[in-house]
């Protein structure tokens, strides 16, 4: 129930947060309580969540150790379509859409973490 | 844009819409399944408790008690099993089949390629709009999604009555 | 005496049937007569309950058939839900549609692609010489009648009605001129192929004609009928579906022209553009008066889900 109510209002919240974040970062971080909704994620949390998503991908060999340094192609052997599948999964986890140009540059867990960290819409 | 880049972009769009919409329906399917199982287990538990109460043999009573505990545990597990947390729902169920179908006899002339890519975009457009449509219909007609029990409860509540707990 | 007492009762039954049809029509069932054939599509539309566990598909000589617990899904007339092998992605979409229904939330609008494909298959069945005439009548499968009904939409077509320049400070009219006129030109050229003389499509211009109906010339109607006659039954069903969704003959023409084996470049439109053509006036109304909840937002998605669905069914390798 609560989640559906939140979902209904998330659009409104998001437009507000996007606008407030357009202001200088230092100011908005202090003044805008909306930030709590959008980008209260810390790096470790993001990293753990991404690694969990990678592990759930059945294309990745179960034995593979997944860390921040893991490279999609070199370490996990993912081809370009696999990578698309993985990135879409990560998008869903954080409820965002990664623009194609940016997505082309994300080739490792660490790069995905870095992108999510800077995306105010991620939650 | 190269054909490959165009293809990847359309494929991603298709995948996104499929996963968003399928995840939503899978979550409600799993929740419904869990609910059914919990109802079934609860029924078995009630029967066991009754049997246990009327049982004179203490050994048998003990096995009944154990069974009851096991069922309680199962019910708790099911209740804790929230499909929203399932990471596997972020992936398409049979990606290799999807890929195979999307790439099947991939054309080589530009006109046919454009048509195929447009077809992929039509599919994602359909899936996305179908999902949004269903969400709107559900939002404006909350009664549609309720099961019989919920409807009876709410009808009773309208006239200030409450359905007895069972 | 007996007849008199029976009459009102019969009328009640008829009314009841009609009402239950309004609900089930979108599952690909004709809305005029009750159909009690025990098929999967009928069962789901009547009980609104999920009755299967596994959805999959089987490939054979004839094509790809969607199955529920390894039994083929059947259309309202009892034909297997089978699509040809040059429509592989369509089969995948159909399978996906059935696999993602949740039992509590099956609604008549939950299976739009199945609904169109069922209509395609049943119309094809209706044209076979050995088809059961009663069944054909039940689904309104008479080709000439379908064509006549569709032709009437050409007189009331949104794409052929231009608003007064006084409305919306002329903005709507400007948009209509920009969007519709090239389409009308291209459609005239296109339809001329079905006539001995160049076809001209009558436009209703509110500035010139005021409030009156639009009537196409006999020559134009003949060309349009000939065009409809040239379509495969599969495409005719898609055309019918698009026209009923958009209330526009021209949109049906546009959709099929884009999905044809060799698309017509001067009629080239994406499904989003097509939806915009069909709803241009609403776009300006919403802009001016605001969006009415539970109406504009629902319609917006409805037109798009249906036209995209029709486009998917029309596509062929």
């Amino acid at each position: 129930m609560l989640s559906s109510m939140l979902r209904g209002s998330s659009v409104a919240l998001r437009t507000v947060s996007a606008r407030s974040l357009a202001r200088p970062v230092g100011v908005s971080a202090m003044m805008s309580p909306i930030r709590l909704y959008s980008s209260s994620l810390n790096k470790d949390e993001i990293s753990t969540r991404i690694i969990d998503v990678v592990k759930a991908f059945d294309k990745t060999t179960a034995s593979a150790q997944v860390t921040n340094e893991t490279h999609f192609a070199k370490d996990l052997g993912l081809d370009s379509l696999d990578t698309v599948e993985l990135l879409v999964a990560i998008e869903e986890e954080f409820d965002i859409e990664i623009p194609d140009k940016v997505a082309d540059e994300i080739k490792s867990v660490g790069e995905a973490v870095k992108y999510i960290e800077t995306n105010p819409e991620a939650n | 844009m190269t054909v490959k880049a165009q293809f990847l972009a359309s494929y991603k769009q298709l995948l996104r819409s499929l996963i968003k919409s399928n995840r939503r329906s899978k979550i409600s399917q799993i929740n419904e399944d869990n609910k059914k199982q919990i109802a079934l287990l609860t029924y078995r538990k009630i029967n066991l408790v009754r049997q246990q109460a009327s049982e004179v043999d203490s050994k048998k009573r003990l096995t009944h008690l154990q069974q009851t505990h096991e069922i309680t545990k199962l019910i708790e597990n099911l209740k804790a099993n929230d499909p929203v947390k399932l990471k596997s729902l972020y992936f398409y169920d049979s990606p290799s089949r999807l890929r195979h179908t999307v790439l099947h006899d991939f054309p080589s002339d530009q006109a046919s390629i454009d048509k195929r890519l447009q077809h992929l975009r039509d599919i994602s457009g359909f899936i996305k709009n179908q999902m949004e449509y269903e969400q709107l219909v559900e939002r404006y007609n909350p009664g549609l999604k309720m099961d019989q029990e919920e409807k009876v409860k709410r009808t009773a509540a309208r006239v200030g009555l409450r359905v007895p707990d069972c | 005496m007996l007849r008199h007492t029976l009459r009102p009762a019969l009328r009640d039954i008829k009314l009841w049937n009609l009402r239950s049809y309004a609900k089930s029509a979108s599952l690909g069932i004709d809305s005029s007569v009750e159909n009690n054939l025990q098929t999967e599509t009928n069962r789901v539309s009547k009980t609104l309950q999920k009755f299967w566990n596994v959805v999959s598909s089987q490939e054979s000589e004839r094509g790809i058939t969607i199955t529920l617990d390894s039994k083929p899904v059947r259309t309202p007339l009892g034909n297997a839900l089978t699509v040809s092998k040059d429509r592989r992605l369509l089969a995948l979409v159909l399978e996906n549609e059935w696999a993602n229904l949740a039992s509590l939330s099956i609604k008549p609008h939950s299976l739009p692609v199945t609904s169109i494909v069922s209509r395609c298959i049943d119309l094809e069945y209706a044209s076979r010489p050995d088809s059961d005439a009663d069944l054909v009548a039940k689904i309104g499968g008479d080709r000439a009648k379908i064509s006549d009904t569709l032709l009437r939409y050409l007189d009331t077509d949104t794409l052929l009605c231009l608003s007064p320049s006084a409305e919306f400070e002329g903005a709507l009219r400007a948009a209509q001129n920009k969007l519709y006129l090239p389409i009308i030109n291209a459609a005239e050229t296109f339809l001329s192929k079905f006539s001995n003389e160049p076809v001209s499509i009558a436009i209703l211009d509110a500035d010139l004609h005021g409030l009156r109906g639009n009537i196409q010339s006999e020559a134009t109607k003949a060309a349009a009928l000939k065009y409809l006659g040239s379509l495969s039954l599969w495409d005719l069903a898609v055309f019918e579906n698009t026209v009923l969704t958009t209330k526009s003959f021209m949109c049906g023409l546009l959709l099929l022209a884009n999905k044809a084996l060799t698309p017509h470049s001067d009629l080239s439109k994406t499904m989003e553009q097509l939806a915009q053509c069909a709803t241009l006036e609403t776009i300006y109304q919403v802009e001016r008066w605001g969006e009415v909840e539970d109406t504009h937002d629902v319609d917006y998605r409805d037109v798009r889900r249906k036209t995209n669905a029709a486009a998917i069914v029309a596509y062929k390798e």
Side-chain angles (χ1 to χ4, degrees):
Chain A
M1 190 63 197
L2 182 69
S3 72
S4 73
M5 277 166 57
L6 278 175
R7 185 151 292 174
S9 59
S10 70
V11 180
L13 279 175
R14 231 181 260 159
T15 38
V16 175
S17 69
R19 214 181 299 138
S20 67
L21 280 158
R23 278 184 263 146
V25 180
V27 182
S28 77
M30 281 190 297
M31 288 178 58
S32 167
I34 299 297
R35 264 192 76 92
L36 285 176
Y37 286 100
S38 50
S39 184
S40 60
L41 306 171
N42 70 48
K43 199 175 175 178
D44 290 343
E45 190 193 338
I46 296 171
S47 168
T48 319
R49 280 168 65 186
I50 291 183
I51 289 172
D52 282 348
V53 174
V54 176
K55 282 182 177 162
F57 192 21
D58 60 5
K59 292 266 172 53
T60 56
T61 25
S63 58
Q65 272 285 329
V66 183
T67 66
N68 256 337
E69 277 66 53
T70 302
H71 191 278
F72 299 154
K74 278 183 224 151
D75 300 322
L76 302 175
L78 303 185
D79 64 21
S80 52
L81 286 177
D82 296 328
T83 311
V84 167
E85 281 161 28
L86 182 58
L87 286 177
V88 168
I90 293 173
E91 287 184 345
E92 268 302 292
E93 165 75 29
F94 294 95
D95 200 12
I96 48 161
E97 267 190 27
I98 309 175
D100 287 346
K101 276 213 175 118
V102 182
D104 289 345
E105 300 306 315
I106 301 178
K107 295 189 171 79
S108 69
V109 173
E111 282 164 2
V113 174
K114 211 183 268 171
Y115 172 74
I116 302 290
E117 242 189 321
T118 56
N119 188 327
E121 311 243 318
N123 57 55
Chain B
M1 254 213 276
T2 61
V3 170
K4 192 188 171 193
Q6 280 183 333
F7 173 76
L8 283 177
S10 309
Y11 182 69
K12 185 191 273 179
Q13 211 182 331
L14 175 63
L15 211 57
R16 246 183 217 145
S17 57
L18 276 171
I19 281 162
K20 269 203 177 32
S21 129
N22 290 4
R23 178 164 177 255
R24 180 171 169 267
S25 48
K26 290 264 153 59
I27 287 174
S28 78
Q29 282 175 353
I30 294 173
N31 277 334
E32 231 168 80
D33 261 18
N34 285 350
K35 222 167 140 188
K36 255 186 226 159
Q37 286 207 42
I38 289 171
L40 211 75
L41 288 170
T42 314
Y43 176 73
R44 268 176 56 196
K45 189 174 152 185
I46 292 169
N47 275 346
L48 268 174
V49 171
R50 273 198 201 129
Q51 275 180 357
Q52 190 197 345
S54 58
E55 186 61 67
V56 264
D57 187 347
S58 60
K59 245 187 186 170
K60 278 187 180 166
R61 280 183 74 153
L62 203 66
T63 42
H64 281 323
L65 199 68
Q66 272 171 348
Q67 282 173 335
T68 318
H69 272 305
E70 273 163 33
I71 291 179
T72 313
K73 222 174 166 185
L74 278 175
I75 293 176
E76 274 166 12
N77 279 347
L78 278 173
K79 279 184 179 161
N81 175 4
D82 183 2
V84 175
K85 291 184 203 146
L86 276 180
K87 306 275 188 230
S88 59
L89 297 184
Y90 294 140
F91 299 95
Y92 190 70
D93 346 22
S94 46
S96 53
R97 196 173 145 230
L98 176 69
R99 212 184 271 199
H100 181 79
T101 315
V102 167
L103 288 169
H104 186 84
D105 281 341
F106 202 79
S108 49
D109 65 298
Q110 193 57 45
S112 308
I113 292 173
D114 288 346
K115 247 190 87 189
R116 171 81 67 105
L117 294 180
Q118 193 55 55
H119 185 47
L120 296 185
R121 289 193 280 271
D122 288 345
I123 297 176
S124 40
F126 161 68
I127 289 171
K128 180 169 181 262
N129 284 298
Q130 176 69 20
M131 183 187 78
E132 301 268 357
Y133 177 82
E134 282 175 11
Q135 278 176 327
L136 287 175
V137 170
E138 269 168 32
R139 187 191 302 165
Y140 295 130
N141 309 279
L144 284 178
K145 235 198 151 180
M146 274 178 228
D147 55 10
Q148 193 54 26
E149 204 183 324
E150 185 67 25
K151 274 183 196 157
V152 171
K153 249 186 216 168
R154 294 203 180 202
T155 313
R158 285 200 119 170
V159 288
L161 297 174
R162 250 188 63 196
V163 178
D165 300 323
C166 47
Chain C
M1 187 61 200
L2 185 68
R3 271 178 63 188
H4 276 274
T5 47
L6 268 175
R7 271 235 178 104
L10 272 175
R11 201 178 302 140
D12 283 348
I13 292 170
K14 255 194 186 156
L15 264 178
W16 185 84
N17 282 347
L18 277 177
R19 285 200 49 196
S20 72
Y21 263 113
K23 269 169 70 187
S24 55
S26 56
L27 282 177
I29 297 170
D30 166 66
S31 54
S32 50
V33 194
E34 179 79 32
N35 183 343
N36 277 326
L37 271 188
Q38 275 219 0
T39 73
E40 288 69 20
T41 39
N42 281 344
R43 184 165 166 192
V44 110
S45 74
K46 292 223 163 74
T47 62
L48 299 181
Q49 283 293 321
K50 196 177 156 193
F51 53 85
W52 63 90
N53 291 314
V54 186
V55 184
S56 62
S57 60
Q58 277 167 10
E59 197 167 328
S60 70
E61 290 285 290
R62 294 176 47 241
I64 307 162
T65 306
I66 313 304
T67 60
L68 302 179
D69 295 338
S70 59
K71 277 177 286 184
V73 176
R74 282 176 303 154
T75 66
L77 283 197
N79 300 301
L81 191 68
T82 303
V83 301
S84 58
K85 287 179 197 168
D86 43 18
R87 301 187 204 266
R88 266 171 202 282
L89 275 157
L90 173 60
L92 194 92
V93 172
L94 285 170
E95 210 184 308
N96 194 68
E97 190 166 84
W98 284 83
N100 285 288
L101 290 171
S103 63
L104 270 181
S105 60
I106 297 176
K107 301 290 162 337
H109 61 248
S110 302
L111 293 162
V113 182
T114 302
S115 150
I116 307 176
V117 173
S118 294
R119 177 78 177 153
C120 292
I121 293 172
D122 284 348
L123 272 192
E124 280 179 348
Y125 165 81
S127 76
R128 291 205 322 235
D130 60 336
S131 62
D132 180 336
D134 284 348
L135 283 182
V136 173
K138 271 186 182 173
I139 60 152
D142 183 59
R143 183 162 191 157
K145 272 188 201 153
I146 296 173
S147 298
D148 276 339
T149 313
L150 291 174
L151 194 62
R152 279 191 279 167
Y153 283 86
L154 200 52
D155 289 335
T156 54
D157 208 305
T158 333
L159 271 65
L160 303 176
C161 294
L162 302 179
S163 302
S165 304
E167 276 179 17
F168 303 100
E169 284 85 41
L172 172 58
R173 178 55 183 264
Q176 286 174 333
N177 286 345
K178 196 175 154 217
L179 213 55
Y180 295 168
L181 295 183
I183 295 173
I184 297 168
N185 273 331
E188 282 174 340
T189 317
F190 176 75
L191 283 178
S192 296
K193 282 186 282 182
F194 299 91
S195 172
N196 296 325
E197 48 188 299
V199 166
S200 87
I201 299 175
I203 298 171
L204 185 73
D205 183 336
D207 282 340
L208 299 175
H209 309 124
L211 282 172
R212 68 156 168 82
N214 196 14
I215 298 167
Q216 299 299 334
S217 71
E218 289 306 315
T220 308
K221 279 186 192 166
L225 269 182
K226 214 169 163 194
Y227 162 69
L228 289 179
S230 76
L231 298 177
S232 69
L233 284 149
W234 186 282
D235 284 351
L236 182 68
V238 173
F239 189 93
E240 175 189 54
N241 195 278
T242 312
V243 171
L244 294 181
T245 301
T246 57
K247 311 276 180 286
S248 157
F249 189 96
M250 301 287 282
C251 281
L253 197 100
L254 274 176
L255 188 133
L256 283 188
N258 277 283
K259 300 299 150 191
L261 282 179
T262 42
H264 304 273
S265 52
D266 44 355
L267 286 168
S268 174
K269 288 271 176 282
T270 64
M271 288 309 112
E272 174 59 29
Q273 289 168 326
L274 190 131
Q276 281 175 14
C277 283
T279 57
L280 196 56
E281 196 172 349
T282 319
I283 295 173
Y284 281 84
Q285 285 165 351
V286 169
E287 211 168 82
R288 160 110 5 142
W289 310 109
E291 186 180 87
V292 178
E293 274 198 9
D294 201 4
T295 305
H296 288 135
D297 47 356
V298 178
D299 288 349
Y300 179 93
R301 295 298 172 191
D302 197 30
V303 168
R304 279 160 183 79
R305 79 191 175 99
K306 283 180 176 160
T307 47
N308 275 298
I312 300 169
V313 180
Y315 176 86
K316 196 175 171 183
E317 294 282 285

